[in-house]
Amino acid sequence: MPYGQAKEILEYAREFHRKAGAYYQKLSCQTQSARVKLLLDYLVRHEKHLEKALSDYEQSIATKALNSWYQFSQDQRTFQPLDSLSYSEEMTVDEIIKSGTTIDNCLIASYKGMADTATSAEIREIFENLLAMEEQEKHVKARIALGINDM
């Protein structure tokens, strides 16, 4: 099983949000649909917000916790759905919502796995907080997306 420090996992999650934002930006540049573009532009901003939120959260965590070594399985670090998602210029709002849900579920599963196997209360708390944040953001994103879909 690989090892890493909690701060490395947070950096990995920030990079995931950067890639998700770039994914949505690429789709936004290619779409012809105004509703799809509206949703994608929101998702780009949302991913930038989450990336910043992770940076802010990292600043609030004690250095000792960030430098703690953590053993995790490869399954727990599955922040990789972007490579497997297909996209086209004609994606609908529903298809974008489905892609976004896949991305959200990947992060939620990763944080849950890390929290469940944490060896210290301090590390568990970090990943439980990230899990709660990601679940809340998933609900916010879904409400916004459904509102755009109803337009």
Side-chain angles (χ1 to χ4, degrees):
M1 291 181 104
Y3 287 87
Q5 291 178 297
K7 66 182 175 186
E8 292 170 336
I9 296 168
L10 288 174
E11 175 55 40
Y12 197 68
R14 277 196 309 277
E15 179 62 23
F16 181 88
H17 284 294
R18 279 191 285 275
K19 287 180 180 179
Y23 167 77
Y24 293 134
Q25 183 64 54
K26 184 174 183 176
L27 291 175
S28 179
C29 291
Q30 294 176 345
T31 190
Q32 301 301 314
S33 167
R35 284 186 333 164
V36 170
K37 184 164 183 52
L38 181 64
L39 175 58
L40 289 167
D41 289 346
Y42 163 75
L43 292 172
V44 168
R45 289 188 309 274
H46 187 78
E47 292 301 329
K48 286 180 183 176
H49 164 75
L50 291 174
E51 182 183 345
K52 171 105 172 65
L54 280 172
S55 291
D56 293 345
Y57 180 63
E58 184 176 354
Q59 298 301 315
S60 72
I61 299 171
T63 303
K64 180 181 175 189
L66 287 172
N67 290 328
S68 296
W69 286 91
Y70 181 83
Q71 186 175 6
F72 54 90
S73 71
Q74 213 47 35
D75 293 349
Q76 292 167 317
R77 212 173 100 168
T78 56
F79 299 98
Q80 308 171 359
L82 298 174
D83 298 334
S84 65
L85 292 175
S86 60
Y87 55 87
S88 71
E89 295 177 21
E90 293 86 32
M91 286 182 81
T92 65
V93 170
D94 286 337
E95 290 169 328
I96 299 296
I97 292 170
K98 185 177 178 185
S99 286
T101 300
T102 299
I103 291 168
D104 291 339
N105 289 342
C106 171
L107 285 166
I108 288 168
S110 295
Y111 291 147
K112 182 170 181 8
M114 289 181 200
D116 288 347
T117 60
T119 56
S120 75
E122 210 170 27
I123 298 296
R124 184 175 304 104
E125 182 181 359
I126 290 171
F127 291 110
E128 284 174 347
N129 288 341
L130 291 172
L131 174 62
M133 179 186 80
E134 197 60 45
E135 286 175 335
Q136 179 181 0
E137 292 298 327
K138 178 182 176 181
H139 295 297
V140 168
K141 191 181 340 182
R143 282 195 308 272
I144 297 291
L146 290 173
I148 291 172
N149 200 24
D150 290 340
M151 293 174 74

